[in-house]
């Protein structure tokens, strides 16, 4: 079987990193590229047999692409610290690497909202390209929710990657605020048009899509809360974009 390396990029992930590393014990080599964490992320990483590197953070795409360029032509499995390789995914990856038919693979994710999976509804799953060979793909320049762009059409893996996104409600809110700031600025930099009607109606459309069309109502209070908070994120993102266009308050195009 060809060599398999794993890549994790981190910033203040002391609560997540150990479990993520434990799920990667089948990898031949693990790289942790850290953005100078201020917690105990470094100690957790160095307590394992990993290649730990600290590098200034510019964007998620820049950090991951830099790391991928250093890792050579091996097969590379890319994870965030809040993700875990399920036993089924481990077996499927090992089976694929014995005779790969593609240079990159799409992996489904099972998302968890606090203490339960969201797989009871369409809210609970998405997919990401996370297994690639060498230079078969690189990330685009998005500031948030970066996506892998591949030279060829990727294959598909059926076993899930487990995604434990949020420690608690304050953590969820902090992340959504950060994503909204990055997403709003990205829309501004891409010269997309904004309007106050977008701020009003895009959140409503997101809520109806998640709660009704994707059957979030099957999750009871959890499904409602997740759909509602996701709509709030959309409202914040478009409001920030709208404010960037009009230089309102302290929002300026040169802000980081």
């Amino acid at each position: 079987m060809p060599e398999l390396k794993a890549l994790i990029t981190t910033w203040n992930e002391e609560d997540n990193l150990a479990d993520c590393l434990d799920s990667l014990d089948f990898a031949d080599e693990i790289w942790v590229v850290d953005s100078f964490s201020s917690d105990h992320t470094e100690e957790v990483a160095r307590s394992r047999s990993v290649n730990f590197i600290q590098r200034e953070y510019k964007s998620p795409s820049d950090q991951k692409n830099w790391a991928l360029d250093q890792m050579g032509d091996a097969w590379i499995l890319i994870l965030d610290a809040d993700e875990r390789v399920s036993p089924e995914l481990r077996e499927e990856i090992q089976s694929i690497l014995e005779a790969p038919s593609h240079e990159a693979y799409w992996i489904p994710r099972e998302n968890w909202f606090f203490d339960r999976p969201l797989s009871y509804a369409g809210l609970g799953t998405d997919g990401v390209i996370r297994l690639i060979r060498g230079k078969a793909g690189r990330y685009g320049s998005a500031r948030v929710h970066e996506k892998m762009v591949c030279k060829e059409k990727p294959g598909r893996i059926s076993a899930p990657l487990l995604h434990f996104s949020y420690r608690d409600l304050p953590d969820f809110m902090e992340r959504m605020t950060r994503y909204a700031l990055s997403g709003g600025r990205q829309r501004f930099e891409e010269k997309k048009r904004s309007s106050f009607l977008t701020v009003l109606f895009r959140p409503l459309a997101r809520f109806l899509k998640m709660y009704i069309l994707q059957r979030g109502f099957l999750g009871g209070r959890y499904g409602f809360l997740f759909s509602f908070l996701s709509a709030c994120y959309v409202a914040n993102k478009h409001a920030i974009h709208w404010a960037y266009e009009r230089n309102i308050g302290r929002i300026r195009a040169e802000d980081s």
Side-chain angles (χ1 to χ4, degrees):
M1 183 164 45
E3 182 182 29
L4 175 65
K5 297 182 180 180
L7 168 63
I8 310 168
T9 54
T10 58
W11 182 70
N12 289 350
E13 292 286 0
E14 64 178 4
D15 294 333
N16 286 318
L17 185 57
D19 288 340
C20 181
L21 292 172
D22 288 345
S23 77
L24 287 167
D25 61 357
F26 65 103
D28 297 295
E29 187 176 320
I30 301 175
W31 287 48
V32 176
V33 179
D34 182 67
S35 305
F36 295 98
S37 292
S38 57
D39 65 357
H40 297 288
T41 296
E42 181 174 358
E43 289 90 328
V44 173
R46 293 193 183 279
S47 69
R48 308 294 209 279
S49 297
V50 305
N51 185 9
F52 182 81
I53 300 169
Q54 289 187 308
R55 179 178 183 268
E56 181 183 357
Y57 180 88
K58 297 178 182 177
S59 72
S61 298
D62 174 79
Q63 196 79 325
K64 290 175 181 176
N65 286 339
W66 177 87
L68 291 171
D69 288 343
Q70 317 306 309
M71 296 175 75
D73 197 40
W75 280 94
I76 303 170
L77 178 62
I78 306 161
L79 265 66
D80 292 332
D82 59 6
E83 295 171 337
R84 314 284 181 264
V85 176
S86 65
E88 298 82 6
L89 178 57
R90 171 180 177 158
E91 291 182 8
E92 190 167 353
I93 288 174
Q94 290 175 320
S95 176
I96 284 172
L97 293 186
E98 290 178 357
S101 57
H102 296 79
E103 293 287 290
Y105 286 88
W106 180 95
I107 303 175
R109 289 196 300 184
E110 180 180 80
N111 298 309
W112 287 62
F113 186 54
F114 306 142
D115 61 350
R116 65 183 63 189
L118 289 169
S119 53
Y120 49 73
L123 308 179
T125 58
D126 62 0
V128 284
I129 299 171
R130 291 295 186 81
L131 180 64
I132 69 167
R133 181 166 187 168
K135 298 182 179 180
R138 289 295 182 267
Y139 286 95
S141 59
R143 286 180 171 271
V144 63
H145 299 146
E146 66 282 4
K147 293 183 179 180
M148 175 74 72
V149 179
C150 296
K151 297 178 181 178
E152 300 177 3
K153 185 177 180 179
R156 298 176 77 88
I157 290 175
S158 58
L161 180 65
L162 306 180
H163 187 204
F164 300 92
S165 303
Y166 316 109
R167 291 187 294 271
D168 49 33
L169 190 57
D171 180 53
F172 179 93
M173 299 301 290
E174 188 277 329
R175 289 185 188 223
M176 290 301 100
T177 299
R178 179 156 39 92
Y179 293 159
L181 286 166
S182 296
R185 178 169 180 178
Q186 181 175 316
R187 290 182 61 84
F188 172 78
E189 292 175 343
E190 292 174 350
K191 302 188 184 304
K192 294 181 177 179
R193 298 184 65 181
S194 72
S195 72
F196 201 68
L197 290 177
T198 301
V199 179
L200 288 174
F201 291 111
R202 283 287 184 89
L204 177 60
R206 172 63 66 90
F207 177 80
L208 293 175
K209 176 183 177 181
M210 296 182 72
Y211 192 66
I212 304 298
L213 297 181
Q214 294 182 324
R215 300 178 299 154
F217 60 85
L218 295 178
R221 288 174 291 182
Y222 277 73
F224 175 84
L225 185 61
F226 188 73
S227 301
F228 175 75
L229 292 176
S230 297
C232 290
Y233 153 72
V234 172
N236 289 336
K237 180 179 70 173
H238 287 286
I240 289 164
H241 178 205
W242 184 79
Y244 264 124
E245 281 198 338
R246 291 156 182 79
N247 285 339
I248 291 177
R250 294 174 179 265
I251 297 288
R252 295 291 184 271
E254 66 272 13
D255 289 346
S256 59

